[in-house]
Amino acid sequence: MNNYLENLNEEQKLPVLHKDGPLIVIAGAGSGKTRVLTYRIIHLINQGVDPFNILALTFTNKAALEMKKRISQITSESISRNLWMGTFHSIFARILRSEAHIIGYPSNFTIYDSYDSEKLISNIIKEFKLDKDNYKAKVIKNRISSLKNNFISVEGYYNNPELIEIDKSSKREQFGKVYKEYVRRCFKASVMDFDDLLLKTNELLKKSPEALRKYQEKFKYILVDEYQDTNYSQYLIVKALADRHENLCVVGDDSQSIYSFRGANIDNILNFKKHYPDSKSYKLEQNYRSTKNIVQAANSLINHNKLKLDKTIWTNNDTGDKILLNKSLSDSEEGRYVSSNIFELKNNYQLKNSSFAVLYRTNAQSRSIEDALRKINIDYQVFGGVSFYQRKEIKDVLAYLRLIENLNDEESLRRIINFPPRGIGQTTMDKLVILSNKHDVSIFDAISKIDRYSKNFRSGTIQKLEDFKNLILSFKIFSSKNNAYETSNLVIHKTKLIDFYRNDGTLESMNRIENIEELLNGVNDFIEQQLEIFEGDNSLSKYLQDVALYSETDKEIQSEKVSLMSIHMAKGLEFPIVYVVGLEENLFPSIMSINSREEIEEERRLFYVAMTRAKEKLILSHCEQRFKWGNIIDCEPSRFLSEIDMKFVNNINVDKNFIRQKINENKLRLKKLPFKKLKKIKTDFVSNIKNPLININLNQKVYHERFGEGIVEDIEGEGHNIRARINFKVGGEKKILLKFAKLKIIK
């Protein structure tokens, strides 16, 4: 432990050695900010600070686990266990579990994810008989989320005429009513959504001076990762907790602030010195990730932003290749270009699929890339699609488990009261909802007292409701004495979910069974992890909390697959070779984000993040035309492309294919990567063929821009119908009509 400081450069040592008082570390892309945070914690412990008195807040579980692992390796596992380290939401959920009674919640409250919140809002909109076109559940959910993140309660909303006017002009005059009902229903169901974990922590610290003092005294040293991504609510909590000792260390990069759409406030990092006038400021400007060309090109782009902190990112890495700029005729051709480029690089230089990432502004753009990769059998993984935990069958199992843990959880009850079918229809549910609202009790409470309301239900229905109640209560008793795996296993088999899908007999049902089995495997993994932890908690409650706080960004990169993801999801990741596609006006920058300087600057920061994901090679791509909403539209190159200093860029002519690019050493120099030397290939164009038989012969090698390299095995037909049967290395055997084919002869 004594020589840990030797692993730091001089820039990194300064914030690590800073002990008391507030400090901000401006950490450029690839500059080793995780290392600084980790070693600062180690140094504090080495200086006698009790690990129990250190709070470290991150934005992903992956970041927290990585830091804990490093700390364990240098100190010991017992020390790292004692740290309060995790995501904002997981740490605040932990505090709220202990203190929830102060704000009127039970300790076993349920945590709703975005899907659950949206479902509840959808039910409220339906019950209020509001126009679904004006009151879209997702839009309402995002609006509520924005208000909560800005610490605006229902009462605060009604006291703000400007907010009310905005909703009136959007034909959502009843928004306040929906917001109020949503909050009421969550409280009644003992539910907190993700935003509540922040809002209620703020409420707790404001309402209870004792709780505030307790955690201020506990967290003598506070560290915050990715500070540029914090919202107003997170800022208030951190400020409140740090007020007593002011030993606050924040690390971030204003150039990577890209989450304003979910409430992140760049002012938190830009104004840190104003909030803490006595704070020290440190800069990490050396990039260890990317080549000089990539770093300098990214710098030339971000320098166009006015709103930024002063810093100059540099690197000692090799100069590397120039950035390639590709122009395709269409989005489908762009997909083919990317896939063939990956195929050539993979095969020529023995690269793994995991060396490649394709980044885009919107998830819809993945379709053309996916199609092209599938056609040449390259495995890929799409990030940001339907999460494992959002699949129907998984949500069904989790709904049972959540209802067992929290009998007031109405959305979970609604989901599974008649699944698998047990004869409790919608009419019965409607009656239960009316009773629940009339007597201000949960639906489960209404079922438990069903004998009082027997005149409203048939005897057969009452029996079915009694059976359902007894089933859930028996599960609850079982879970109190058994761990999460044993409870989950019992629920899955006792409810006969597997039998239900097996009887369906479809391929989809078989997939659902496999997913449920995989869920059980996941619960078992959770149990094994808890066994390794000192005083680990293997209860159903702890498992459900972990699942609720699961982040899609924590998904592991699979070594056998190319990664496809939006740029927002790529933040924090790195790849040897990165493609950024769709660099066109109104797509990137988005047409939704070109109305103000602030919006344009955030879009530029997003592009900066995309560029700095690349370690060795960066390829930028745009199209002349794109297929949208059933029409072909002309596209203009993104304004951001003209902002990159062109001395770091090589343009690729749309008429030249990848083989032609490889011949030109100035356009493709992969010096850093351990690549084999390229074999030069001479090519001639076959264009405007009048007599193809003269130009193309049997057994001749040819190149096609979609199918790659192939050998002519047969030529048949006459006149305009002359066609060649070509066996392509990647695409297999194809019959190509020579009149239209753009082939190149390989000599």
Side-chain angles (χ1 to χ4, degrees):
M1 188 165 168
N2 294 329
N3 63 350
Y4 59 90
L5 293 175
E6 294 175 8
N7 296 319
L8 303 170
N9 66 30
E10 292 307 310
E11 279 184 339
Q12 293 168 337
K13 276 182 188 175
L14 294 172
V16 168
L17 294 173
H18 176 122
K19 190 182 180 197
D20 294 328
L23 69 150
I24 179 171
V25 183
I26 307 302
S31 63
K33 70 175 179 63
T34 304
R35 178 178 290 253
V36 166
L37 278 170
T38 304
Y39 281 70
R40 175 167 168 75
I41 292 169
I42 292 166
H43 188 67
L44 287 172
I45 294 168
N46 206 31
Q47 295 295 302
V49 177
D50 191 325
F52 281 107
N53 295 139
I54 298 174
L55 169 65
L57 297 166
T58 66
F59 273 86
T60 66
N61 293 313
K62 185 179 179 183
L65 289 171
E66 183 183 339
M67 286 168 61
K68 251 186 180 175
K69 185 178 178 182
R70 290 193 196 180
I71 292 166
S72 294
Q73 290 168 347
I74 295 174
T75 59
S76 70
E77 194 170 332
S78 60
I79 287 176
S80 69
R81 277 200 206 113
N82 296 337
L83 294 164
W84 278 62
M85 180 183 287
T87 64
F88 281 87
H89 292 95
S90 65
I91 294 292
F92 298 158
R94 185 176 169 185
I95 291 172
L96 288 169
R97 292 280 182 212
S98 298
E99 316 293 344
H101 62 280
I102 296 173
I103 53 173
Y105 276 81
S107 61
N108 68 333
F109 60 83
T110 299
I111 301 172
Y112 272 6
D113 61 19
S114 294
Y115 177 90
D116 302 316
S117 298
E118 203 173 309
K119 191 79 172 74
L120 173 55
I121 289 166
S122 181
N123 285 334
I124 292 169
I125 290 167
K126 185 178 177 182
E127 289 167 25
F128 285 177
K129 296 182 171 59
L130 298 173
D131 186 340
K132 288 183 181 178
D133 291 331
N134 291 335
Y135 292 86
K136 289 185 169 70
K138 190 165 190 174
V139 173
I140 299 297
K141 183 198 94 49
N142 290 340
R143 179 105 170 104
I144 290 173
S145 177
S146 176
L147 292 174
K148 287 184 175 183
N149 285 328
N150 284 289
F151 213 43
I152 299 171
S153 63
V154 172
E155 185 181 0
Y157 171 82
Y158 277 119
N159 288 330
N160 191 320
E162 188 179 339
L163 291 174
I164 294 171
E165 189 54 42
I166 289 171
D167 286 314
K168 278 186 179 177
S169 64
S170 301
K171 297 182 179 178
R172 291 195 295 263
E173 298 90 341
Q174 300 299 312
F175 169 79
K177 185 181 175 185
V178 176
Y179 184 14
K180 184 178 182 180
E181 181 64 8
Y182 174 74
V183 170
R184 188 188 76 81
R185 293 272 277 273
C186 284
F187 184 74
K188 178 185 167 189
S190 303
V191 160
M192 290 191 199
D193 61 23
F194 265 34
D195 302 310
D196 283 329
L197 295 176
L198 306 180
L199 190 70
K200 298 301 179 185
T201 302
N202 263 311
E203 185 182 321
L204 169 71
L205 299 178
K206 193 174 179 181
K207 184 175 181 178
S208 172
E210 294 79 13
L212 175 61
R213 196 158 47 246
K214 172 183 173 181
Y215 289 102
Q216 282 179 336
E217 207 48 54
K218 183 174 188 60
F219 303 133
K220 290 184 169 67
Y221 290 86
I222 300 174
L223 301 92
V224 183
D225 190 16
E226 305 283 15
Y227 193 65
Q228 78 280 349
D229 293 336
T230 53
N231 59 35
Y232 183 58
S233 193
Q234 288 162 328
Y235 160 75
L236 287 175
I237 296 169
V238 170
K239 189 174 187 309
L241 292 174
D243 264 356
R244 182 169 290 262
H245 300 287
E246 286 205 340
N247 293 324
L248 172 63
C249 169
V250 303
V251 181
D253 181 6
D254 56 300
S255 295
Q256 297 187 65
S257 178
I258 59 173
Y259 292 118
S260 68
F261 68 93
R262 68 182 190 199
N265 186 354
I266 193 173
D267 289 342
N268 291 348
I269 193 167
L270 295 177
N271 295 330
F272 186 82
K273 293 286 286 182
K274 289 181 184 177
H275 299 152
Y276 298 92
D278 298 329
S279 64
K280 296 287 185 183
S281 181
Y282 302 95
K283 295 178 184 176
L284 304 181
E285 297 176 301
Q286 182 176 359
N287 179 297
Y288 289 93
R289 176 187 298 152
S290 307
T291 62
K292 281 190 175 73
N293 268 321
I294 292 171
V295 169
Q296 291 170 357
N299 283 347
S300 70
L301 169 82
I302 205 64
N303 282 340
H304 286 81
N305 271 15
K306 306 292 183 191
L307 196 69
K308 64 180 187 295
L309 297 169
D310 182 44
K311 61 181 176 299
T312 304
I313 307 303
W314 60 279
T315 184
N316 270 335
N317 292 343
D318 289 350
T319 301
D321 305 321
K322 285 191 175 183
I323 293 166
L324 295 182
L325 178 57
N326 169 66
K327 178 173 70 172
S328 295
L329 292 171
S330 66
D331 48 351
S332 57
E333 186 180 289
E334 181 179 60
R336 290 194 293 272
Y337 166 76
V338 170
S339 62
S340 64
N341 200 322
I342 291 172
F343 180 81
E344 293 290 339
L345 286 172
K346 261 191 68 180
N347 288 337
N348 285 324
Y349 308 120
Q350 288 75 53
L351 294 174
K352 290 182 178 179
N353 284 335
S354 60
S355 298
F356 302 90
V358 185
L359 310 182
Y360 32 75
R361 180 64 181 83
T362 63
N363 286 320
Q365 290 171 256
S366 75
R367 196 270 314 157
S368 60
I369 309 295
E370 289 186 68
D371 286 351
L373 290 171
R374 271 199 306 270
K375 283 176 183 172
I376 57 175
N377 298 318
I378 292 179
D379 286 337
Y380 62 87
Q381 180 181 23
V382 181
F383 287 68
V386 178
S387 158
F388 177 79
Y389 292 101
Q390 296 299 336
R391 292 170 181 165
K392 180 197 177 302
E393 61 277 13
I394 303 305
K395 295 290 282 184
D396 291 337
V397 176
L398 292 177
Y400 272 105
L401 299 179
R402 294 197 318 191
L403 184 59
I404 293 164
E405 182 63 21
N406 173 15
L407 298 176
N408 294 331
D409 186 347
E410 288 194 6
E411 287 308 306
S412 294
L413 183 144
R414 284 172 183 255
R415 186 178 188 98
I416 49 84
I417 192 169
N418 196 39
F419 187 81
R422 51 176 61 91
I424 302 173
Q426 190 58 47
T427 302
T428 301
M429 270 307 303
D430 291 342
K431 289 179 181 179
L432 288 169
V433 169
I434 291 168
L435 284 172
S436 166
N437 291 333
K438 181 180 178 182
H439 297 281
D440 196 26
V441 295
S442 71
I443 295 176
F444 195 87
D445 276 343
I447 294 171
S448 298
K449 299 166 185 171
I450 199 69
D451 55 320
R452 298 185 190 179
Y453 317 117
S454 57
K455 62 181 180 181
N456 297 301
F457 301 92
R458 294 177 181 174
S459 58
T461 301
I462 290 174
Q463 186 58 53
K464 289 168 186 172
L465 291 172
E466 287 277 1
D467 291 345
F468 173 74
K469 177 197 74 173
N470 291 334
L471 178 71
I472 299 301
L473 290 177
S474 69
F475 288 153
K476 190 169 184 67
I477 292 166
F478 183 88
S479 73
S480 67
K481 300 173 183 177
N482 295 275
N483 66 34
Y485 177 81
E486 290 159 342
T487 303
S488 303
N489 194 38
L490 177 73
V491 167
I492 287 167
H493 290 94
K494 198 90 181 274
T495 56
K496 299 187 178 177
L497 279 168
I498 300 290
D499 292 343
F500 174 81
Y501 286 123
R502 190 173 284 122
N503 291 337
D504 191 40
T506 63
L507 180 61
E508 183 184 18
S509 292
M510 294 304 106
N511 288 335
R512 292 190 192 280
I513 291 172
E514 288 175 3
N515 287 336
I516 292 173
E517 289 172 347
E518 183 57 36
L519 177 67
L520 269 180
N521 290 340
V523 183
N524 191 52
D525 288 344
F526 162 80
I527 298 297
E528 289 181 359
Q529 288 167 16
Q530 294 303 310
L531 287 173
E532 295 173 6
I533 298 171
F534 178 66
E535 295 182 346
D537 181 357
N538 61 15
S539 68
L540 179 61
S541 175
K542 180 67 170 68
Y543 170 72
L544 289 173
Q545 178 171 313
D546 281 11
V547 168
L549 298 171
Y550 169 82
S551 169
E552 184 69 17
T553 57
D554 291 322
K555 190 188 287 184
E556 289 298 316
I557 304 294
Q558 296 185 20
S559 60
E560 73 279 7
K561 296 186 179 181
V562 173
S563 294
L564 275 59
M565 66 185 81
S566 71
I567 301 163
H568 283 102
M569 292 212 71
K571 189 164 172 293
L573 302 176
E574 59 182 41
F575 302 87
I577 301 170
V578 170
Y579 301 82
V580 186
V581 298
L583 283 159
E584 298 130 33
E585 282 295 299
N586 299 332
L587 182 55
F588 198 5
S590 166
I591 195 170
M592 306 294 288
S593 303
I594 55 175
N595 300 312
S596 68
R597 177 181 289 279
E598 289 78 14
E599 289 177 343
I600 286 293
E601 291 208 349
E602 174 146 341
E603 289 287 294
R604 189 178 287 112
R605 291 194 295 268
L606 188 59
F607 187 25
Y608 175 82
V609 166
M611 293 177 73
T612 54
R613 298 313 92 200
K615 295 166 71 175
E616 306 290 349
K617 187 167 183 60
L618 176 63
I619 302 97
L620 309 177
S621 178
H622 66 99
C623 301
E624 291 185 330
Q625 295 181 327
R626 192 168 286 274
F627 193 76
K628 284 186 179 179
W629 306 113
N631 297 307
I632 300 290
I633 63 164
D634 292 329
C635 302
E636 179 187 344
S638 169
R639 69 189 75 184
F640 298 146
L641 292 175
S642 64
E643 294 174 354
I644 301 172
D645 191 329
M646 293 310 289
K647 70 184 178 186
F648 305 117
V649 178
N650 272 333
N651 281 290
I652 304 171
N653 187 296
V654 72
D655 295 319
K656 295 179 181 179
N657 70 15
F658 191 61
I659 289 181
R660 178 64 64 92
Q661 296 156 25
K662 287 192 293 186
I663 296 169
N664 188 338
E665 291 180 357
N666 291 327
K667 291 187 177 181
L668 187 61
R669 301 188 312 277
L670 298 174
K671 290 180 179 178
K672 182 72 186 287
L673 292 173
F675 290 165
K676 290 183 179 178
K677 192 172 180 181
L678 278 173
K679 179 182 176 183
K680 290 191 176 182
I681 301 172
K682 287 178 66 180
T683 69
D684 287 330
F685 280 99
V686 179
S687 56
N688 300 319
I689 300 172
K690 292 181 180 176
N691 189 345
L693 290 173
I694 296 173
N695 292 278
I696 294 183
N697 300 307
L698 290 175
N699 301 318
Q700 191 158 48
K701 284 187 177 181
V702 294
Y703 184 87
H704 187 279
E705 64 180 25
R706 184 184 301 183
F707 305 120
E709 190 178 315
I711 295 177
V712 179
E713 295 189 340
D714 191 19
I715 296 171
E716 56 189 43
E718 297 179 353
H720 292 299
N721 291 320
I722 293 176
R723 53 199 177 274
R725 180 162 56 82
I726 303 172
N727 192 349
F728 292 101
K729 281 185 180 179
V730 178
E733 192 173 281
K734 307 281 182 188
K735 283 189 179 180
I736 303 293
L737 200 61
L738 296 181
K739 177 183 175 182
F740 299 110
K742 290 181 180 179
L743 291 171
K744 295 178 184 180
I745 296 172
I746 301 174
K747 294 184 177 178

